[in-house]
Amino acid sequence: VAVSTGSAASGGTLAPEQLERPDQDERSTPDRPWVTIVWNDPINLMSYVTYVFQKLFGYSKEKATALMQDVHYKGRAVVSAGAREQMENDVARLHSAGLWATLQQD
Amino acid sequence: VSAPFRRTAGGIVVRLRPAEAALIAKLADQLLDLLDERAPAAAGPADPLDAMVGLAGPAAEMPQPPPDPVLSRLLPDGYADDAAASAELRRLTESDLVSGKRAAARALRDGLGAEKLPLLDEEQAQLWLGALNDLRLALGTRLEVTEDIPGQLRRLEHNDPRRAGFTLYEWLIEVQATLIDILDRN
């Protein structure tokens, strides 16, 4: 998230391929929930990311701010969890808002 | 110095100078051109019957992420670790994503291109906000901005043409931040 320096993804927007891969056969275990992850990027503004989390998910300002800070300082945050189709929908809505999001099984 | 947007009782007033409005309109127009490149690929498998009976084929025929870094930033993969699942999700969602981004960019371009700058309601302002963000994603990706723009600028030669891009980028941050602030206070 834009503003300060030195966070995990400060080298620019990382391509998803560059990220660490979990073991392939861990992916499709049916009983583990799916999660939507938002990744840090150097372009989206902190205030914008917080605003988007409130608008898309109905989160309070406090919760949205905490998630934004996780994205910024830890490099990523889990922003929602649930059924795979729901998470695909969340990812599509986040992409529509310009955030960099992926889904995976937790 | 006047802020680029201001909330009034009647709506959100756009207070960009004519040259500023024209500049953003031009960027929005360029974004529309870029998104056009993605329109055919987003249509999915060529033969709908093949798709229906499951003959759409292996990954080779699935929609691939755009090769252009700006487009792949605007239309990213949905899975970090699964190209096939990303392609399938892209097939289902990319055309809506592209048309949503096009609609927002068009609203911004047409509004700023009008004889008299419009008074925005909440919904229009949100559309503009998304389009402004996409403009920054496009320009920022082209410039390969990092979270240390001052450091990047220090490493550029005085006559490097990218300096103008960085200046534009930083100005767009201010423009967008003003609009976020106004929408956030509602």
Side-chain angles (χ1 to χ4, degrees):
Chain A
V1 187
V3 168
S4 67
T5 58
S7 70
S10 65
T13 302
L14 290 172
E17 294 77 14
Q18 291 172 263
L19 296 162
E20 196 181 353
R21 290 158 180 249
D23 288 339
Q24 287 301 305
D25 53 8
E26 269 182 31
R27 289 202 61 263
S28 46
T29 320
D31 53 343
R32 296 211 320 277
W34 290 78
V35 292
T36 298
I37 296 173
V38 170
W39 302 91
N40 192 34
D41 76 78
I43 300 174
N44 280 305
L45 300 172
M46 295 171 115
S47 58
Y48 180 72
V49 172
T50 306
Y51 177 79
V52 167
F53 288 163
Q54 291 176 87
K55 280 284 159 193
L56 292 192
F57 300 112
Y59 293 156
S60 66
K61 180 121 198 178
E62 292 67 33
K63 176 165 183 173
T65 303
L67 287 172
M68 177 279 291
Q69 285 172 342
D70 279 355
V71 172
H72 184 64
Y73 294 109
K74 299 179 184 169
R76 50 174 269 174
V78 171
V79 299
S80 64
R84 183 174 185 170
E85 293 70 28
Q86 261 179 289
M87 298 304 98
E88 288 190 334
N89 186 49
D90 284 353
V91 163
R93 293 193 300 148
L94 288 159
H95 288 177
S96 178
L99 271 58
W100 178 27
T102 58
L103 72 150
Q104 67 187 50
Q105 211 164 17
D106 200 10
Chain B
V1 180
S2 70
F5 299 99
R6 217 187 63 168
R7 188 185 283 287
T8 66
I12 295 166
V13 181
V14 185
R15 303 204 298 185
L16 293 162
R17 282 173 290 195
E20 295 172 334
L23 179 55
I24 295 177
K26 195 177 100 186
L27 291 172
D29 209 39
Q30 289 169 358
L31 181 64
L32 283 166
D33 283 347
L34 189 67
L35 288 168
D36 272 347
E37 288 176 24
R38 200 56 188 170
D47 188 334
L49 183 61
D50 280 356
M52 208 184 305
V53 297
L55 292 173
E61 287 180 55
M62 298 298 278
Q64 298 297 306
D68 180 281
V70 170
L71 277 176
S72 74
R73 178 60 190 82
L74 292 170
L75 314 168
D77 276 343
Y79 291 81
D81 60 343
D82 189 333
S86 288
E88 176 61 12
L89 185 58
R90 192 175 284 283
R91 191 178 66 76
L92 294 171
T93 59
E94 191 180 276
S95 68
D96 281 353
L97 188 56
V98 170
S99 46
K101 287 186 182 299
R102 283 187 54 83
R106 234 183 351 254
L108 182 66
R109 181 198 61 186
D110 294 349
L112 289 173
E115 194 75 24
K116 186 173 179 299
L117 290 180
L119 193 63
L120 304 176
D121 64 22
E122 220 61 21
E123 200 181 326
Q124 291 166 324
Q126 281 173 23
L127 215 52
W128 280 39
L129 177 64
L132 284 169
N133 200 62
D134 284 344
L135 293 186
R136 288 186 48 252
L137 288 173
L139 184 57
T141 303
R142 282 273 185 262
L143 291 169
E144 299 179 341
V145 299
T146 67
E147 289 179 348
D148 180 24
I149 291 176
Q152 288 184 285
L153 285 171
R154 276 196 299 277
R155 288 187 292 275
L156 287 183
E157 298 288 339
H158 268 296
N159 55 357
D160 192 303
R162 281 170 294 180
R163 282 191 177 277
F166 276 95
T167 303
L168 176 57
Y169 180 81
E170 292 195 299
W171 173 66
L172 284 174
I173 291 178
E174 283 176 49
V175 172
Q176 190 194 3
T178 310
L179 193 53
I180 296 165
D181 216 44
I182 283 174
L183 286 169
D184 198 34
R185 267 185 279 122
N186 187 36

